Amino acid sequence: MEDRQRLRVETRASAPGAAMLPVSDQPLAVEASVEPHETARALIEQLRVLEDMKSAISGLQAKIAASFELAQRQADAAAGVPAPKQGGGAAAQIALARRESPHRGSRLLGLAKALVKEMPRTLAALDSGLLNEWRATLLVKETACLSAEDRCAVDEELAPDTGTLDGMGDRAIIAAAKAAAYRRDPRSVTRRAAHAAKERHVSIRPAPDTMTYLTALLPVAQGVAAYKALKEAADSARCSGDERSRGQVMADTLVERLTGTPGGISKVEVQLVLTDRTLFQGDSEPARLEGYGIVPGGWARELVGLGRGASPSGNIKALPADPGFVVWLRRLYTAPNTGELVGMDSKARLFPPGMRRFIEARDASCRTPYCDAPIRHIDHIVPWQGGGPTSLGNGAGLCEQCNHTKENPGWAAKPLADASGVHALDLTTPTGHTYRSKAPPLPGAVPLPGHGPAWV
């Protein structure tokens, strides 16, 4: 702890303009005799100093991350790890240390290596506060298709450490980097644009108030054509007297054309975790919907009632009673005191379907600390070949990336017998740091102190 405090003090002292900032967690104190405009000026100067410090710290983190990745590779080589696997878990360890997701950790490591090895002037601008971490990331991203030599040349041409990008917004910086990259190697930039079409995909993520974002990354011609078709459908409906807004008609048309069904729902397996009081007695305790998260109890009851002539409120589209509409309700019971889902066991190596659904409902998203990616793999915490049973206690939901990372040399995990009854596990990295993960609280359970990932 003393070392951490000393590092914070030294960082403050070495950051640009640190002498202006008092070592205090409180806002800058100003005497009553000072004019109000002087108070405002002092506070703005304090904000600027803090921003410069953040940039300087980001530069220091980049150098440390690049050095750590090299040290991890050397340690793996000394341990006899095959060359292709050396440093394989470095990004995940960086993510845990910075309390970020594994995906974000990979981006941070890529940024660090590019800045340290190929873009020293951008790194110098970060150190001096002329660029923040995000804008340095934009420069790295827009030059990713270049060779190391060309990237260094673009870095020299832009010279961010001299203030050439000062006052530019994100779009202007992107445009400057793109132009410089194209002048240096037009063929690589063109190839990158052609390759981008291979990255097309559709994704979904939660939005507030029981809504969701359905996002499609498409080639520009296809994206414009799809948007135009939806817009024309909306304009036609509005001209015919449809009282919905243009945006509402476009959204409803998208769902109907994709699913082939008005309202977009014909058969639903509702994986809801909720208390019997919420379902049958109208209790206000919220529910949890797999693939989304916490939803209001009333919303959950209305969703379960769809297809039986129910007229739900809010943003669930009311449907007429339809014998072809089927809702399956999977009931998941919790222990009355701890809120832990009731367990089951299996002798098989692979988790059976019922147990997989059970773990997915319990864990909600990837169990690696700070990672909230969707669950793709149900993994043995203690590996099967190491004697780990196929059971709820020894099972955890992981995303694909975290499951592969866990197989790198030096990583280990073990389930915990948590006194609270909440499922927990410890994840240990090759450096010996341990991070604890607890399953999210279920509806009806009282949140416990210390819930969530913690560094041990």
Side-chain angles (χ1 to χ4, degrees):
M1 181 62 72
E2 292 179 358
D3 290 340
R4 293 184 185 178
Q5 292 175 344
R6 182 161 54 251
L7 176 61
R8 284 200 292 269
V9 172
E10 290 172 354
T11 302
R12 290 183 179 211
S14 61
M20 298 173 57
L21 182 67
V23 181
S24 171
D25 293 331
Q26 300 300 318
L28 185 64
V30 182
E31 296 181 3
S33 59
V34 178
E35 293 292 333
H37 73 275
E38 290 295 334
T39 300
R41 177 184 178 86
L43 292 173
I44 287 296
E45 288 179 352
Q46 186 181 30
L47 286 176
R48 183 55 183 265
V49 168
L50 289 170
E51 192 63 31
D52 288 346
M53 288 175 63
K54 284 167 57 181
S55 295
I57 291 171
S58 295
L60 180 59
Q61 286 180 314
K63 296 170 189 174
I64 292 173
S67 297
F68 168 72
E69 197 258 356
L70 178 60
Q72 186 66 63
R73 286 183 177 276
Q74 293 172 343
D76 288 347
V81 176
K85 293 188 176 182
Q86 291 174 10
Q93 294 183 74
I94 291 169
L96 287 167
R98 292 194 58 174
R99 299 190 179 101
E100 298 281 5
S101 69
H103 176 71
R104 173 72 172 157
S106 297
R107 292 177 57 187
L108 289 170
L109 178 56
L111 170 68
K113 292 166 66 176
L115 291 175
V116 171
K117 297 179 180 180
E118 301 168 1
M119 303 186 74
R121 303 199 68 166
T122 300
L123 179 59
L126 195 59
D127 288 337
S128 64
L130 290 174
L131 281 180
N132 59 27
E133 186 177 48
W134 171 244
R135 288 177 175 162
T137 302
L138 295 178
L139 291 174
V140 169
K141 180 181 178 181
E142 295 304 327
T143 56
C145 61
L146 301 178
S147 65
E149 181 181 358
D150 286 338
R151 192 182 228 175
C152 189
V154 169
D155 183 57
E156 188 70 27
E157 177 183 337
L158 296 177
D161 57 328
T162 64
T164 56
L165 304 180
D166 193 28
M168 287 190 179
D170 291 353
R171 291 185 180 181
I173 289 176
I174 290 173
K178 280 184 174 180
Y182 189 80
R183 286 193 296 269
R184 183 61 52 178
D185 188 355
R187 182 174 299 179
S188 292
V189 175
T190 303
R191 278 201 306 266
R192 175 181 175 177
H195 178 75
K198 297 180 180 179
E199 302 299 321
R200 61 189 183 277
H201 68 275
V202 177
S203 62
I204 189 170
R205 69 185 192 277
D209 304 323
T210 61
M211 300 290 283
T212 190
Y213 295 106
L214 177 65
T215 305
L217 178 64
L218 302 171
V220 63
Q222 295 178 11
V224 170
Y227 184 84
K228 182 179 179 181
L230 293 174
K231 186 174 180 296
E232 289 177 350
D235 290 341
S236 176
R238 294 278 292 173
C239 290
S240 300
D242 196 314
E243 295 183 356
R244 292 174 293 172
S245 69
R246 178 175 285 102
Q248 290 172 340
V249 176
M250 291 175 69
D252 293 345
T253 302
L254 172 66
V255 173
E256 183 172 343
R257 291 185 178 181
L258 286 176
T259 63
T261 306
I265 304 174
S266 57
K267 293 185 178 180
V268 177
E269 179 180 4
V270 181
Q271 184 91 337
L272 279 173
V273 183
L274 70 166
T275 66
D276 54 353
R277 299 181 303 279
T278 296
L279 181 59
F280 298 116
Q281 299 176 14
D283 193 82
S284 60
E285 177 70 31
R288 195 175 76 197
L289 178 64
E290 181 185 346
Y292 178 83
I294 298 299
V295 296
W299 188 95
R301 287 191 295 273
E302 290 173 349
L303 181 61
V304 172
L306 282 175
R308 295 197 297 268
S311 299
S313 59
N315 50 36
I316 306 178
K317 186 175 178 63
L319 299 177
D322 182 355
F325 184 92
V326 182
V327 175
W328 291 279
L329 174 63
R330 189 178 304 284
R331 294 174 294 180
L332 300 173
Y333 292 98
T334 60
N337 295 327
T338 65
E340 176 72 347
L341 285 171
V342 176
M344 60 180 72
D345 202 349
S346 172
K347 300 299 182 183
R349 176 172 183 174
L350 299 178
F351 288 90
M355 191 177 292
R356 291 178 62 88
R357 287 192 293 265
F358 193 96
I359 293 174
E360 288 171 350
R362 181 196 69 195
D363 292 350
S365 62
C366 178
R367 283 292 297 278
T368 299
Y370 315 114
C371 181
D372 54 4
I375 293 173
R376 293 287 181 258
H377 297 168
I378 303 299
D379 181 60
H380 290 80
I381 300 173
V382 177
W384 169 270
Q385 59 268 29
T390 302
S391 65
L392 292 176
N394 193 48
L398 297 176
C399 68
E400 185 173 358
Q401 180 178 349
C402 288
N403 193 28
H404 292 325
T405 297
K406 181 173 167 284
E407 300 303 316
N408 283 304
W411 290 77
K414 65 176 181 180
L416 300 177
D418 194 286
S420 66
V422 176
H423 186 265
L425 61 92
D426 274 354
L427 179 66
T428 303
T429 67
T431 57
H433 295 93
T434 299
Y435 300 84
R436 183 160 299 167
S437 169
K438 291 186 178 181
L442 293 164
V446 178
L448 300 172
H451 165 72
W455 180 42
V456 181

